[in-house]
Every structure is written in C-alpha cells, then in structure tokens.
Amino acid sequence: MRILPVALAIFYEFNQQQLRVWVQTREDDGPFYGLQEFPGGGIEPGELPLEAAVREVAEEVGIVINQADGKLFGVYPNELVGKTVLLHVFLFPVYPALTGKGRWLTVESKEMSAPFKGLIPPPNHKIIDDLFLALLS
C-alpha cells in the first residue's frame, strides 16, 4: 500500500470551553471538493512536515506564517483505497492576516465536531475532537 505524507496547519483559539478553528473551502477536485478544510497538502521530497505546512499556507491562503509558531499536534492515518494518507497536524496561533480569507468553526463541549458532519472531511472530526479534549485537560 502506498503512503502519502501530508501536512496540515490548524489555526485555533480556545476560550472558556469553546474551540474555534479556521477553515477554508476546498476547491481541488476530489472526494473533499467543496468541504471546509484546514490548509495543507503533500510533503515534498526532502521537505520536513512543518516546512510543508508553512509552504501550503502560503500557497493556499496567501499569507506568510512563522515556522517557529508551529507545534506538532499529532500524526493521523487516513486509510483510502490503495493508499494511506498520513496527516501531520500542526497547531498555529491566530494570524490577523486570516481575516476575510476563510471562516471560523466554533466547537463546543456537548457535540464537539458532530454539527459539522458533511461540512468537513471525515478525518478532521477526530482531529478537532482530539484537540478540544486535549485543551480541556
């Protein structure tokens, strides 16, 4: 089975048991077309996952972010037909330059990411829920 390494950047803020994560509409063809997604993409040969996350934000969002701000949250395998996508998830603080470029999803403790079913890619539910629980502890 083929392994495809991918880097994601999650811009977030957490206040009083509410998590906000920044997403953008996916415009590439494929199974996640039109869904709200974190910026990210394939890790190029010789590139570190954090470098890829920063590059993808520049390419997809059009803003420059500081690599030193990124913190690895985890690596999430996503099993697809004929391949495994390894999602290297990095957390970043909010950048003012994000204003007007995407939208914020607000996650609350009762339902966590469940209200976003059909709006975000299925693998992102686990990432969002894990982040929310980690921030609560």
Side-chain angles (χ1 to χ4, degrees):
M1 182 173 295
R2 197 176 84 177
I3 296 177
L4 178 63
V6 167
L8 297 180
I10 299 181
F11 298 98
Y12 79 100
E13 57 186 13
F14 183 73
N15 295 313
Q16 299 180 356
Q17 302 201 15
Q18 231 183 35
L19 169 66
R20 288 179 9 118
V21 293
W22 187 90
V23 293
Q24 61 185 358
T25 303
R26 182 173 181 117
E27 300 192 9
D28 293 346
D29 288 337
F32 300 144
Y33 174 80
L35 297 181
Q36 301 298 297
E37 190 169 51
F38 306 120
I43 300 171
E44 295 176 357
E47 187 175 42
L48 296 174
L50 180 56
E51 294 169 340
V54 170
R55 175 183 51 76
E56 288 289 342
V57 168
E59 290 175 5
E60 293 181 10
V61 185
I63 67 170
V64 176
I65 61 174
N66 187 343
Q67 187 172 317
D69 288 340
K71 307 289 182 251
L72 179 64
F73 179 64
V75 179
Y76 288 76
N78 182 26
E79 304 294 333
L80 300 173
V81 176
K83 65 182 172 185
T84 298
V85 178
L86 289 180
L87 301 169
H88 295 77
V89 179
F90 291 91
L91 303 178
F92 287 88
V94 174
Y95 280 74
L98 291 170
T99 303
K101 293 191 177 280
R103 67 179 279 204
W104 290 94
L105 301 179
T106 301
V107 180
E108 297 182 4
S109 61
K110 279 186 181 177
E111 299 173 329
M112 296 204 289
S113 69
F116 307 115
K117 185 175 182 179
L119 182 67
I120 64 174
N124 291 359
H125 285 278
K126 177 152 180 52
I127 295 168
I128 290 171
D129 293 349
D130 286 354
L131 177 57
F132 186 83
L133 293 172
L135 293 169
L136 279 178
S137 59

